[in-house]
Amino acid sequence: MKPWQFFLIFMRIGVSTFGGGYAMLPILQHELIDKRGWLQEDELTEAYALAQCEPGLICVNTAVLLIRPRFGLLPAVVASFGVVLPSVLILILIAAVLYRYANLPLVQNAFAGIRVAVAAIVVHSAWRLLKNGVHDFASGLLYAAAFL
């Protein structure tokens, strides 16, 4: 694959990941496992867990951990840029709009709705992590401690 293709794949992931790292898990699964078959679900879960332990953005760490071993450094860097660019552009746009219209009820209600959707995505991701990552009592205790 060409580097720009990695950019486009991860830009799609970045565009649809409004709400942070946990919100990107279902989209990563769809794009990288279901659609392309690049990895297994346990590999995604493991890479995501490692990405949280590293300093920096979870989305960038995840992109590097998933792409670099299979395709090399340049595609990993390009994928990282692709996953971050939509968030940067969206934040600039939101900041410009909110600066002017933050007090309008329509804007406040829209963000309240977004918060509910993001919460549902995070709960779904936590359930998938529980289902795929807890195999014994010790890992169940560790999951419960991390959740609390």
Side-chain angles (χ1 to χ4, degrees):
M1 286 184 68
K2 306 241 188 258
W4 64 268
Q5 291 171 306
F6 289 98
F7 176 82
L8 291 177
I9 291 167
F10 277 84
M11 192 172 81
R12 265 197 310 275
I13 293 168
V15 164
S16 46
T17 305
F18 193 89
Y22 287 113
M24 76 186 292
L25 272 176
I27 301 153
L28 281 167
Q29 179 183 6
H30 173 72
E31 287 289 335
L32 306 181
I33 297 172
D34 301 338
K35 199 171 176 182
R36 291 180 177 77
W38 286 350
L39 51 138
Q40 301 296 317
E41 192 163 339
D42 60 333
E43 292 175 289
L44 174 62
T45 303
E46 184 177 309
Y48 189 79
L50 286 172
Q52 293 182 67
C53 297
E54 297 175 352
L57 299 173
I58 293 173
C59 62
V60 172
N61 295 341
T62 303
V64 170
L65 286 170
L66 294 174
I67 298 302
R68 188 175 183 273
R70 288 167 181 77
F71 302 103
L73 182 60
L74 180 61
V77 170
V78 171
S80 298
F81 184 68
V83 79
V84 169
L85 182 63
S87 297
V88 170
L89 296 177
I90 289 169
L91 285 174
I92 290 170
L93 179 65
I94 288 172
V97 170
L98 283 182
Y99 180 74
R100 196 157 189 195
Y101 301 107
N103 295 328
L104 292 178
L106 179 66
V107 173
Q108 293 174 352
N109 291 337
F111 276 101
I114 289 171
R115 281 193 295 273
V116 170
V118 168
I121 290 171
V122 168
V123 167
H124 173 69
S125 296
W127 172 251
R128 281 207 15 245
L129 287 172
L130 172 68
K131 188 172 74 172
N132 294 325
V134 176
H135 302 292
D136 56 16
F137 184 73
S139 62
L141 283 177
L142 186 59
Y143 180 85
F147 184 77
L148 290 175

mmCIF file of all heavy atoms in Angstrom, residues 4 15 26 40-41 46 66 101 104 110 127 133 135-136 140 146:
data_model
loop_
_atom_site.group_PDB
_atom_site.id
_atom_site.type_symbol
_atom_site.label_atom_id
_atom_site.label_comp_id
_atom_site.label_asym_id
_atom_site.label_seq_id
_atom_site.Cartn_x
_atom_site.Cartn_y
_atom_site.Cartn_z
ATOM 1 N N TRP A 4 -0.102 7.374 1.272
ATOM 2 C CA TRP A 4 -1.307 8.193 1.283
ATOM 3 C C TRP A 4 -2.547 7.355 1.581
ATOM 4 O O TRP A 4 -3.527 7.863 2.122
ATOM 5 C CB TRP A 4 -1.466 8.983 -0.008
ATOM 6 C CG TRP A 4 -1.647 8.159 -1.244
ATOM 7 C CD1 TRP A 4 -0.664 7.727 -2.087
ATOM 8 C CD2 TRP A 4 -2.874 7.665 -1.782
ATOM 9 N NE1 TRP A 4 -1.199 6.985 -3.105
ATOM 10 C CE2 TRP A 4 -2.559 6.934 -2.937
ATOM 11 C CE3 TRP A 4 -4.202 7.765 -1.401
ATOM 12 C CZ2 TRP A 4 -3.523 6.298 -3.721
ATOM 13 C CZ3 TRP A 4 -5.171 7.133 -2.176
ATOM 14 C CH2 TRP A 4 -4.824 6.415 -3.319
ATOM 15 N N VAL A 15 -11.717 11.149 11.810
ATOM 16 C CA VAL A 15 -12.941 11.936 11.618
ATOM 17 C C VAL A 15 -14.083 11.366 12.438
ATOM 18 O O VAL A 15 -14.883 12.100 13.003
ATOM 19 C CB VAL A 15 -13.336 11.969 10.120
ATOM 20 C CG1 VAL A 15 -14.762 12.429 9.920
ATOM 21 C CG2 VAL A 15 -12.398 12.872 9.351
ATOM 22 N N PRO A 26 -14.255 0.725 18.207
ATOM 23 C CA PRO A 26 -15.133 0.086 17.220
ATOM 24 C C PRO A 26 -14.773 0.446 15.783
ATOM 25 O O PRO A 26 -14.897 -0.384 14.876
ATOM 26 C CB PRO A 26 -16.526 0.611 17.575
ATOM 27 C CG PRO A 26 -16.419 1.153 18.946
ATOM 28 C CD PRO A 26 -14.994 1.554 19.147
ATOM 29 N N GLN A 40 -5.997 -9.505 14.264
ATOM 30 C CA GLN A 40 -7.061 -10.150 15.027
ATOM 31 C C GLN A 40 -7.528 -9.204 16.138
ATOM 32 O O GLN A 40 -6.828 -8.270 16.504
ATOM 33 C CB GLN A 40 -6.551 -11.453 15.641
ATOM 34 C CG GLN A 40 -6.042 -12.455 14.626
ATOM 35 C CD GLN A 40 -7.139 -12.934 13.700
ATOM 36 O OE1 GLN A 40 -8.242 -13.221 14.137
ATOM 37 N NE2 GLN A 40 -6.842 -12.997 12.415
ATOM 38 N N GLU A 41 -8.692 -9.500 16.691
ATOM 39 C CA GLU A 41 -9.254 -8.625 17.718
ATOM 40 C C GLU A 41 -8.372 -8.563 18.957
ATOM 41 O O GLU A 41 -8.215 -7.501 19.564
ATOM 42 C CB GLU A 41 -10.666 -9.070 18.088
ATOM 43 C CG GLU A 41 -11.390 -8.038 18.912
ATOM 44 C CD GLU A 41 -12.888 -8.241 18.944
ATOM 45 O OE1 GLU A 41 -13.443 -8.906 18.062
ATOM 46 O OE2 GLU A 41 -13.499 -7.698 19.877
ATOM 47 N N GLU A 46 -4.642 -5.655 22.585
ATOM 48 C CA GLU A 46 -3.305 -5.567 23.184
ATOM 49 C C GLU A 46 -2.596 -4.270 22.789
ATOM 50 O O GLU A 46 -2.014 -3.586 23.633
ATOM 51 C CB GLU A 46 -2.472 -6.764 22.753
ATOM 52 C CG GLU A 46 -1.105 -6.822 23.387
ATOM 53 C CD GLU A 46 -0.342 -8.065 22.983
ATOM 54 O OE1 GLU A 46 -0.909 -9.161 23.097
ATOM 55 O OE2 GLU A 46 0.814 -7.917 22.545
ATOM 56 N N LEU A 66 0.058 -0.407 15.631
ATOM 57 C CA LEU A 66 -0.624 -1.297 14.688
ATOM 58 C C LEU A 66 0.023 -1.315 13.311
ATOM 59 O O LEU A 66 0.052 -2.353 12.654
ATOM 60 C CB LEU A 66 -2.100 -0.890 14.558
ATOM 61 C CG LEU A 66 -2.957 -1.061 15.801
ATOM 62 C CD1 LEU A 66 -4.341 -0.484 15.572
ATOM 63 C CD2 LEU A 66 -3.044 -2.523 16.206
ATOM 64 N N TYR A 101 -20.976 31.542 19.468
ATOM 65 C CA TYR A 101 -22.342 31.056 19.667
ATOM 66 C C TYR A 101 -22.509 30.119 20.868
ATOM 67 O O TYR A 101 -23.514 29.419 20.962
ATOM 68 C CB TYR A 101 -22.809 30.309 18.416
ATOM 69 C CG TYR A 101 -22.782 31.153 17.174
ATOM 70 C CD1 TYR A 101 -21.816 30.959 16.199
ATOM 71 C CD2 TYR A 101 -23.720 32.166 16.983
ATOM 72 C CE1 TYR A 101 -21.782 31.736 15.050
ATOM 73 C CE2 TYR A 101 -23.692 32.951 15.843
ATOM 74 C CZ TYR A 101 -22.721 32.730 14.890
ATOM 75 O OH TYR A 101 -22.694 33.508 13.760
ATOM 76 N N LEU A 104 -25.931 29.992 22.898
ATOM 77 C CA LEU A 104 -27.200 29.633 22.260
ATOM 78 C C LEU A 104 -27.670 28.268 22.763
ATOM 79 O O LEU A 104 -26.882 27.320 22.858
ATOM 80 C CB LEU A 104 -27.050 29.582 20.745
ATOM 81 C CG LEU A 104 -26.802 30.906 20.030
ATOM 82 C CD1 LEU A 104 -26.624 30.677 18.541
ATOM 83 C CD2 LEU A 104 -27.973 31.860 20.269
ATOM 84 N N ALA A 110 -26.875 20.531 21.456
ATOM 85 C CA ALA A 110 -26.117 19.666 20.547
ATOM 86 C C ALA A 110 -24.968 18.993 21.294
ATOM 87 O O ALA A 110 -24.749 17.778 21.150
ATOM 88 C CB ALA A 110 -25.589 20.477 19.365
ATOM 89 N N TRP A 127 -17.127 -2.726 27.554
ATOM 90 C CA TRP A 127 -17.693 -4.070 27.521
ATOM 91 C C TRP A 127 -16.867 -4.987 26.621
ATOM 92 O O TRP A 127 -16.573 -6.123 26.979
ATOM 93 C CB TRP A 127 -19.145 -4.034 27.063
ATOM 94 C CG TRP A 127 -19.693 -5.417 26.831
ATOM 95 C CD1 TRP A 127 -19.993 -6.001 25.646
ATOM 96 C CD2 TRP A 127 -19.981 -6.397 27.826
ATOM 97 N NE1 TRP A 127 -20.441 -7.275 25.835
ATOM 98 C CE2 TRP A 127 -20.440 -7.553 27.176
ATOM 99 C CE3 TRP A 127 -19.873 -6.423 29.215
ATOM 100 C CZ2 TRP A 127 -20.804 -8.705 27.855
ATOM 101 C CZ3 TRP A 127 -20.239 -7.579 29.878
ATOM 102 C CH2 TRP A 127 -20.703 -8.694 29.205
ATOM 103 N N GLY A 133 -10.638 -9.316 27.139
ATOM 104 C CA GLY A 133 -9.408 -9.259 27.912
ATOM 105 C C GLY A 133 -9.431 -9.980 29.245
ATOM 106 O O GLY A 133 -8.387 -10.238 29.817
ATOM 107 N N HIS A 135 -9.860 -13.216 31.154
ATOM 108 C CA HIS A 135 -9.908 -14.666 30.926
ATOM 109 C C HIS A 135 -9.827 -15.462 32.216
ATOM 110 O O HIS A 135 -10.046 -16.667 32.213
ATOM 111 C CB HIS A 135 -8.756 -15.094 30.007
ATOM 112 C CG HIS A 135 -8.775 -14.383 28.698
ATOM 113 N ND1 HIS A 135 -9.746 -14.584 27.747
ATOM 114 C CD2 HIS A 135 -7.946 -13.441 28.168
ATOM 115 C CE1 HIS A 135 -9.523 -13.828 26.693
ATOM 116 N NE2 HIS A 135 -8.439 -13.110 26.927
ATOM 117 N N ASP A 136 -9.484 -14.818 33.316
ATOM 118 C CA ASP A 136 -9.380 -15.519 34.592
ATOM 119 C C ASP A 136 -9.679 -14.529 35.724
ATOM 120 O O ASP A 136 -9.935 -13.350 35.488
ATOM 121 C CB ASP A 136 -8.002 -16.163 34.762
ATOM 122 C CG ASP A 136 -6.857 -15.173 34.627
ATOM 123 O OD1 ASP A 136 -7.101 -13.943 34.709
ATOM 124 O OD2 ASP A 136 -5.717 -15.607 34.429
ATOM 125 N N GLY A 140 -9.664 -10.370 35.849
ATOM 126 C CA GLY A 140 -10.932 -9.743 36.209
ATOM 127 C C GLY A 140 -10.764 -8.725 37.322
ATOM 128 O O GLY A 140 -11.347 -7.639 37.287
ATOM 129 N N ALA A 146 -8.927 -1.199 37.484
ATOM 130 C CA ALA A 146 -8.714 -0.151 36.477
ATOM 131 C C ALA A 146 -9.996 0.590 36.191
ATOM 132 O O ALA A 146 -10.007 1.816 36.016
ATOM 133 C CB ALA A 146 -8.157 -0.766 35.197
#
